[in-house]
Amino acid sequence: MYLFIPFILVSIYSFFFSLIFNTQIKKSFLIISLIITYFLYFFGKIGFLEFGNQILLFSSPFIILFIIKKRTSISSNHLKEVLFLTLAFLIIIFYTQGAFLYKYDDFSEYGIIPKLIFFENYLPIYIDYLDKGTHSKVNIISIYQYFFLKNSALEFQENSLLVVNNFFKILLIINLFSYINYSRLKYFIIFIIFYFLIYSLSTGFDRLYVDSIIALIIPNLFLIFFNNNKKLDYLLFTLLFITIPCLKFSGIIIVLGISAIFLLYNFFVKKMIKVLLL
């Protein structure tokens, strides 16, 4: 239950973001999670990872005061979405209770790097004695794990990594289905969504490998691209897009492939429209 402290922090910032930009809490949770991660990564790059975390921590009371001031703008839907996400978080904690990392996770960079970042308060590139994986690799999900672990006020625990990983997957899944409109969605997009969703869930919720996260990001990108979007959707698209290569270097190939698909789609659609107009 100690992980509820950082969960509350994410909730506070998500409420703030939702009230400012008039968006759903469930979308705000995903956007804020990504913003917090890259905010901490920026401070980590200049050697002040822990200081960046303290900024987020000590800024939260001012955010709470703003939310209280704007409490009349809080609707029942806001509260229902927060309750739903809270229950989801509780279920994840219950599911991972007593869980430990598999040896393939524990002795990989996905298990070692979060532990070192937690104790050293530095990004891997600044940890001299790190002799595992690639030092320059971002491994961005470890920064998100750092935020939860560092603000839980307890010692490092392996199952906490699984809780954070699974919560981020749940946020991606929830956002994924929020875009679906079966009356307008093309069949091949539905196929892509469920293909990657099945792939991601087939690996289970007890691994730290980021392939399942990437598999959930891809259909989110496709749905955002093929839907009528608001400005915040483009922000989310950008954050998710740059997250893929930040999870693993081979994600650059995925990014190039997705970019090619989107560019070709735009080219042929615009070309066909011009032909029809003529």
Side-chain angles (χ1 to χ4, degrees):
M1 303 304 288
Y2 55 90
L3 284 175
F4 258 95
I5 297 174
F7 176 81
I8 291 172
L9 288 174
V10 175
S11 302
I12 291 170
Y13 280 98
S14 298
F15 248 112
F16 171 75
F17 191 88
S18 179
L19 292 175
I20 290 293
F21 296 101
N22 190 27
T23 187
Q24 297 173 312
I25 291 289
K26 55 189 177 184
K27 188 183 297 293
S28 297
F29 256 82
L30 180 56
I31 294 176
I32 286 296
S33 294
L34 291 165
I35 290 176
I36 286 175
T37 301
Y38 284 104
F39 178 84
L40 290 176
Y41 176 70
F42 169 77
F43 277 91
K45 285 293 288 183
I46 59 177
F48 295 99
L49 180 60
E50 190 172 18
F51 178 69
N53 183 66
Q54 290 174 351
I55 291 176
L56 293 173
L57 183 62
F58 292 111
S59 297
S60 57
F62 300 101
I63 304 298
I64 292 174
L65 291 175
F66 175 85
I67 293 173
I68 293 174
K69 185 177 179 180
K70 296 286 185 179
R71 62 184 179 276
T72 54
S73 301
I74 299 175
S75 66
S76 59
N77 287 333
H78 287 115
L79 300 176
K80 288 178 182 177
E81 289 181 24
V82 171
L83 178 61
F84 174 76
L85 290 169
T86 304
L87 290 174
F89 194 69
L90 276 171
I91 292 171
I92 293 170
I93 292 177
F94 178 78
Y95 176 79
T96 56
Q97 188 176 16
F100 294 94
L101 300 183
Y102 286 79
K103 62 180 180 180
Y104 301 108
D105 282 331
D106 193 20
F107 293 99
S108 71
E109 61 186 47
Y110 299 113
I112 293 175
I113 288 178
K115 187 181 296 184
L116 290 177
I117 294 176
F118 175 79
F119 286 112
E120 299 291 338
N121 293 306
Y122 285 105
L123 297 184
I125 194 171
Y126 297 118
I127 301 176
D128 295 331
Y129 64 86
L130 175 60
D131 191 22
K132 190 71 177 177
T134 306
H135 288 215
S136 59
K137 183 176 180 179
V138 177
N139 193 15
I140 201 70
I141 195 66
S142 64
I143 310 299
Y144 191 54
Q145 294 163 346
Y146 171 85
F147 172 76
F148 271 80
L149 291 171
K150 208 63 182 178
N151 293 307
S152 61
L154 287 181
E155 296 181 357
F156 180 89
Q157 293 190 17
E158 292 183 354
N159 66 323
S160 299
L161 300 178
L162 295 171
V163 171
V164 180
N165 253 35
N166 291 334
F167 181 60
F168 191 73
K169 292 176 187 177
I170 292 298
L171 292 179
L172 287 169
I173 293 172
I174 292 172
N175 189 72
L176 180 69
F177 284 100
S178 69
Y179 284 109
I180 294 179
N181 188 326
Y182 292 99
S183 63
R184 294 182 300 170
L185 203 60
K186 297 180 180 180
Y187 288 110
F188 82 94
I189 303 178
I190 297 177
F191 169 76
I192 291 173
I193 292 169
F194 284 98
Y195 174 81
F196 284 108
L197 184 59
I198 291 170
Y199 169 76
S200 65
L201 295 179
S202 67
T203 59
F205 284 89
D206 54 355
R207 297 290 193 278
L208 283 182
Y209 291 130
V210 297
D211 301 82
S212 56
I213 294 178
I214 293 176
L216 288 168
I217 289 177
I218 293 172
N220 270 281
L221 292 175
F222 273 92
L223 276 176
I224 295 173
F225 183 81
F226 287 106
N227 271 281
N228 296 323
N229 301 304
K230 301 178 181 179
K231 291 182 179 179
L232 287 179
D233 292 314
Y234 295 115
L235 170 63
L236 179 58
F237 182 94
T238 303
L239 291 171
L240 290 175
F241 192 80
I242 63 176
T243 295
I244 293 178
C246 289
L247 288 170
K248 58 191 308 184
F249 280 145
S250 59
I252 296 174
I253 300 174
I254 299 174
V255 166
L256 291 175
I258 293 175
S259 300
I261 292 172
F262 292 158
L263 289 172
L264 288 171
Y265 178 84
N266 280 333
F267 173 77
F268 285 112
V269 166
K270 289 181 180 179
K271 187 175 180 180
M272 289 180 65
I273 290 174
K274 288 182 180 179
V275 171
L276 291 173
L277 290 174
L278 292 174

